[in-house]
Amino acid sequence: MSARFGLRTLALLTASTVGALTIAGTAAHADSNTDEKVLLKGSTTASYFWDDASGRAGDTGLPASGKPMQKGLAASPSWPLMTEGYVIHDGKKLPFFVGDRGPGVPSNNGVMLDLDGKTFAELTGGTFNMETLGVDGVGGQGHIKVDYVITKWGNGPGKKNYPVPFSTGAWSEHDDNPAEPPVGAAAVPPAPEAGEWSAGTGAVVASAVAAVGGGVALASDRVRNLLKG
């Protein structure tokens, strides 16, 4: 993220690699099982980012999971990596998986989810600009209110419950007591296909730059080497 949002703590560089995830193989799909249960649901403020390991604008590497930047890859300050679910905004529902850590400082102010720029654009009716890595057509809007539903928890460290700020360190601790699923939560319909969710996604796309007022997170605030210790 830009300095405007605060630099994510460098503690990520020395964080435990216990939760390291295999880079190769099938990427996560929030819609892979029509019998998935609602494990947690709530609402939060969401920002957006696009980090592609190009090295521009402070980008320090791939997202923390090792997955290439893609539509559907979100960052969470406390949920385990590879947690899956979907978000709803203005009647639109899109899937996501937790592939990165963040927001950092913004999570202290209630911004508990960082969506990828393409998902943010689709939810808001804007257009993701691969040149600026911002979302056009939304008047510089960089934050939106979303409802979220978790359908699968990741296996690594992280809090399996309502999100808490990055500064709490919950992202580095194993949680053996996940939240009780909502009472009466039945199987949920599959979320729409995230067409780009593939570990075989070709070359990593455009480089990261800040969109002033657009909420784009620069990777200087998203330390990338968490799982490469």
Side-chain angles (χ1 to χ4, degrees), residues 34-98:
T34 57
D35 293 326
E36 287 172 328
K37 303 293 184 180
V38 174
L39 301 179
L40 183 73
K41 58 183 178 180
S43 60
T44 189
T45 299
S47 51
Y48 73 89
F49 75 107
W50 192 272
D51 289 346
D52 65 357
S54 67
R56 289 198 309 172
D59 193 347
T60 58
L62 288 171
S65 65
K67 299 295 182 182
M69 192 68 215
Q70 58 194 279
K71 184 179 180 182
L73 189 155
S76 167
S78 61
W79 290 333
L81 294 174
M82 305 311 292
T83 290
E84 301 175 21
Y86 56 86
V87 290
I88 302 171
H89 173 74
D90 199 23
K92 299 177 183 178
K93 182 174 79 170
L94 291 175
F96 73 88
F97 71 97
V98 177

Side-chain angles (χ1 to χ4, degrees), residues 40-175:
L40 183 73
K41 58 183 178 180
S43 60
T44 189
T45 299
S47 51
Y48 73 89
F49 75 107
W50 192 272
D51 289 346
D52 65 357
S54 67
R56 289 198 309 172
D59 193 347
T60 58
L62 288 171
S65 65
K67 299 295 182 182
M69 192 68 215
Q70 58 194 279
K71 184 179 180 182
L73 189 155
S76 167
S78 61
W79 290 333
L81 294 174
M82 305 311 292
T83 290
E84 301 175 21
Y86 56 86
V87 290
I88 302 171
H89 173 74
D90 199 23
K92 299 177 183 178
K93 182 174 79 170
L94 291 175
F96 73 88
F97 71 97
V98 177
D100 205 1
R101 288 295 177 212
V105 172
S107 62
N108 293 327
N109 298 315
V111 184
M112 295 294 186
L113 190 61
D114 217 358
L115 299 170
D116 73 274
K118 292 183 178 181
T119 293
F120 189 96
E122 188 168 344
L123 289 173
T124 57
T127 302
F128 183 64
N129 187 324
M130 286 299 297
E131 295 297 321
T132 66
L133 303 185
V135 176
D136 297 336
V138 294
Q141 182 180 22
H143 298 83
I144 56 174
K145 292 290 186 179
V146 297
D147 294 321
Y148 61 79
V149 173
I150 300 300
T151 58
K152 178 181 178 181
W153 292 116
N155 293 325
K159 185 179 179 65
K160 298 176 181 177
N161 211 314
Y162 293 105
V164 295
F166 180 84
S167 60
T168 65
W171 53 269
S172 64
E173 301 175 0
H174 281 276
D175 186 354

